[in-house]
PDB file of all heavy atoms in Angstrom:
ATOM      1  N   GLY B  95      77.735 230.257 149.671  1.00 92.00           N
ATOM      2  CA  GLY B  95      78.917 229.395 149.752  1.00 92.00           C
ATOM      3  C   GLY B  95      79.723 229.446 148.466  1.00 92.00           C
ATOM      4  O   GLY B  95      79.907 230.520 147.871  1.00 92.00           O
ATOM      5  N   LYS B  96      80.126 228.272 147.972  1.00 89.00           N
ATOM      6  CA  LYS B  96      80.995 228.275 146.789  1.00 89.00           C
ATOM      7  C   LYS B  96      80.211 228.623 145.525  1.00 89.00           C
ATOM      8  O   LYS B  96      80.774 229.058 144.543  1.00 89.00           O
ATOM      9  CB  LYS B  96      81.722 226.933 146.641  1.00 89.00           C
ATOM     10  CG  LYS B  96      80.838 225.743 146.316  1.00 89.00           C
ATOM     11  CD  LYS B  96      81.729 224.558 146.043  1.00 89.00           C
ATOM     12  CE  LYS B  96      81.033 223.253 145.714  1.00 89.00           C
ATOM     13  NZ  LYS B  96      79.640 223.190 145.352  1.00 89.00           N
ATOM     14  N   ASP B  97      78.869 228.460 145.550  1.00 89.00           N
ATOM     15  CA  ASP B  97      78.028 228.849 144.414  1.00 89.00           C
ATOM     16  C   ASP B  97      78.141 230.335 144.102  1.00 89.00           C
ATOM     17  O   ASP B  97      77.958 230.756 142.960  1.00 89.00           O
ATOM     18  CB  ASP B  97      76.543 228.544 144.714  1.00 89.00           C
ATOM     19  CG  ASP B  97      76.196 227.108 144.349  1.00 89.00           C
ATOM     20  OD1 ASP B  97      77.071 226.441 143.743  1.00 89.00           O
ATOM     21  OD2 ASP B  97      75.072 226.668 144.668  1.00 89.00           O
ATOM     22  N   ARG B  98      78.417 231.146 145.111  1.00 94.00           N
ATOM     23  CA  ARG B  98      78.406 232.594 144.913  1.00 94.00           C
ATOM     24  C   ARG B  98      79.436 232.988 143.852  1.00 94.00           C
ATOM     25  O   ARG B  98      79.129 233.724 142.913  1.00 94.00           O
ATOM     26  CB  ARG B  98      78.695 233.297 146.241  1.00 94.00           C
ATOM     27  CG  ARG B  98      78.075 234.678 146.305  1.00 94.00           C
ATOM     28  CD  ARG B  98      77.931 235.189 147.721  1.00 94.00           C
ATOM     29  NE  ARG B  98      77.539 236.599 147.688  1.00 94.00           N
ATOM     30  CZ  ARG B  98      76.291 237.022 147.633  1.00 94.00           C
ATOM     31  NH1 ARG B  98      75.293 236.177 147.634  1.00 94.00           N
ATOM     32  NH2 ARG B  98      76.034 238.320 147.575  1.00 94.00           N
ATOM     33  N   GLU B  99      80.608 232.417 143.963  1.00 94.00           N
ATOM     34  CA  GLU B  99      81.673 232.723 143.005  1.00 94.00           C
ATOM     35  C   GLU B  99      81.350 232.076 141.648  1.00 94.00           C
ATOM     36  O   GLU B  99      81.462 232.699 140.586  1.00 94.00           O
ATOM     37  CB  GLU B  99      82.995 232.191 143.559  1.00 94.00           C
ATOM     38  CG  GLU B  99      84.248 232.870 143.035  1.00 94.00           C
ATOM     39  CD  GLU B  99      84.067 234.354 142.643  1.00 94.00           C
ATOM     40  OE1 GLU B  99      83.505 235.151 143.448  1.00 94.00           O
ATOM     41  OE2 GLU B  99      84.449 234.690 141.518  1.00 94.00           O
ATOM     42  N   GLU B 100      80.869 230.828 141.712  1.00 93.00           N
ATOM     43  CA  GLU B 100      80.556 230.045 140.515  1.00 93.00           C
ATOM     44  C   GLU B 100      79.488 230.750 139.653  1.00 93.00           C
ATOM     45  O   GLU B 100      79.620 230.862 138.425  1.00 93.00           O
ATOM     46  CB  GLU B 100      80.061 228.655 140.975  1.00 93.00           C
ATOM     47  CG  GLU B 100      79.466 227.777 139.892  1.00 93.00           C
ATOM     48  CD  GLU B 100      80.504 227.284 138.891  1.00 93.00           C
ATOM     49  OE1 GLU B 100      81.701 227.530 139.109  1.00 93.00           O
ATOM     50  OE2 GLU B 100      80.094 226.686 137.870  1.00 93.00           O
ATOM     51  N   MET B 101      78.464 231.257 140.315  1.00 95.00           N
ATOM     52  CA  MET B 101      77.379 231.920 139.579  1.00 95.00           C
ATOM     53  C   MET B 101      77.874 233.182 138.892  1.00 95.00           C
ATOM     54  O   MET B 101      77.477 233.510 137.784  1.00 95.00           O
ATOM     55  CB  MET B 101      76.225 232.274 140.529  1.00 95.00           C
ATOM     56  CG  MET B 101      75.417 231.077 140.902  1.00 95.00           C
ATOM     57  SD  MET B 101      74.762 230.239 139.432  1.00 95.00           S
ATOM     58  CE  MET B 101      74.240 228.721 140.181  1.00 95.00           C
ATOM     59  N   LYS B 102      78.760 233.871 139.545  1.00 96.00           N
ATOM     60  CA  LYS B 102      79.282 235.096 138.949  1.00 96.00           C
ATOM     61  C   LYS B 102      80.078 234.735 137.688  1.00 96.00           C
ATOM     62  O   LYS B 102      79.974 235.385 136.649  1.00 96.00           O
ATOM     63  CB  LYS B 102      80.169 235.820 139.960  1.00 96.00           C
ATOM     64  CG  LYS B 102      80.595 237.176 139.484  1.00 96.00           C
ATOM     65  CD  LYS B 102      81.008 238.087 140.593  1.00 96.00           C
ATOM     66  CE  LYS B 102      81.424 239.453 140.049  1.00 96.00           C
ATOM     67  NZ  LYS B 102      81.935 239.470 138.702  1.00 96.00           N
ATOM     68  N   ARG B 103      80.849 233.629 137.812  1.00 96.00           N
ATOM     69  CA  ARG B 103      81.652 233.205 136.663  1.00 96.00           C
ATOM     70  C   ARG B 103      80.761 232.786 135.490  1.00 96.00           C
ATOM     71  O   ARG B 103      80.991 233.147 134.342  1.00 96.00           O
ATOM     72  CB  ARG B 103      82.552 232.039 137.073  1.00 96.00           C
ATOM     73  CG  ARG B 103      83.996 232.366 136.757  1.00 96.00           C
ATOM     74  CD  ARG B 103      84.992 231.241 136.872  1.00 96.00           C
ATOM     75  NE  ARG B 103      84.520 229.910 136.724  1.00 96.00           N
ATOM     76  CZ  ARG B 103      84.496 229.020 137.736  1.00 96.00           C
ATOM     77  NH1 ARG B 103      84.877 229.376 138.946  1.00 96.00           N
ATOM     78  NH2 ARG B 103      84.076 227.788 137.513  1.00 96.00           N
ATOM     79  N   MET B 104      79.725 232.036 135.816  1.00 96.00           N
ATOM     80  CA  MET B 104      78.793 231.608 134.758  1.00 96.00           C
ATOM     81  C   MET B 104      78.164 232.821 134.061  1.00 96.00           C
ATOM     82  O   MET B 104      78.057 232.859 132.827  1.00 96.00           O
ATOM     83  CB  MET B 104      77.660 230.745 135.335  1.00 96.00           C
ATOM     84  CG  MET B 104      78.099 229.376 135.798  1.00 96.00           C
ATOM     85  SD  MET B 104      78.879 228.440 134.497  1.00 96.00           S
ATOM     86  CE  MET B 104      77.438 227.985 133.570  1.00 96.00           C
ATOM     87  N   ALA B 105      77.755 233.781 134.861  1.00 97.00           N
ATOM     88  CA  ALA B 105      77.149 234.986 134.288  1.00 97.00           C
ATOM     89  C   ALA B 105      78.148 235.654 133.345  1.00 97.00           C
ATOM     90  O   ALA B 105      77.800 236.056 132.228  1.00 97.00           O
ATOM     91  CB  ALA B 105      76.714 235.941 135.391  1.00 97.00           C
ATOM     92  N   ASP B 106      79.386 235.715 133.730  1.00 97.00           N
ATOM     93  CA  ASP B 106      80.416 236.332 132.879  1.00 97.00           C
ATOM     94  C   ASP B 106      80.603 235.552 131.587  1.00 97.00           C
ATOM     95  O   ASP B 106      80.667 236.124 130.502  1.00 97.00           O
ATOM     96  CB  ASP B 106      81.753 236.391 133.629  1.00 97.00           C
ATOM     97  CG  ASP B 106      81.725 237.463 134.712  1.00 97.00           C
ATOM     98  OD1 ASP B 106      80.807 238.321 134.649  1.00 97.00           O
ATOM     99  OD2 ASP B 106      82.574 237.415 135.610  1.00 97.00           O
TER     100      ASP B 106
END
Side-chain angles (χ1 to χ4, degrees):
Chain B
K96 67 173 179 15
D97 274 352
R98 208 160 171 88
E99 204 30 49
E100 170 69 6
M101 285 303 167
K102 188 159 180 333
R103 235 190 25 248
M104 290 303 284
D106 287 344

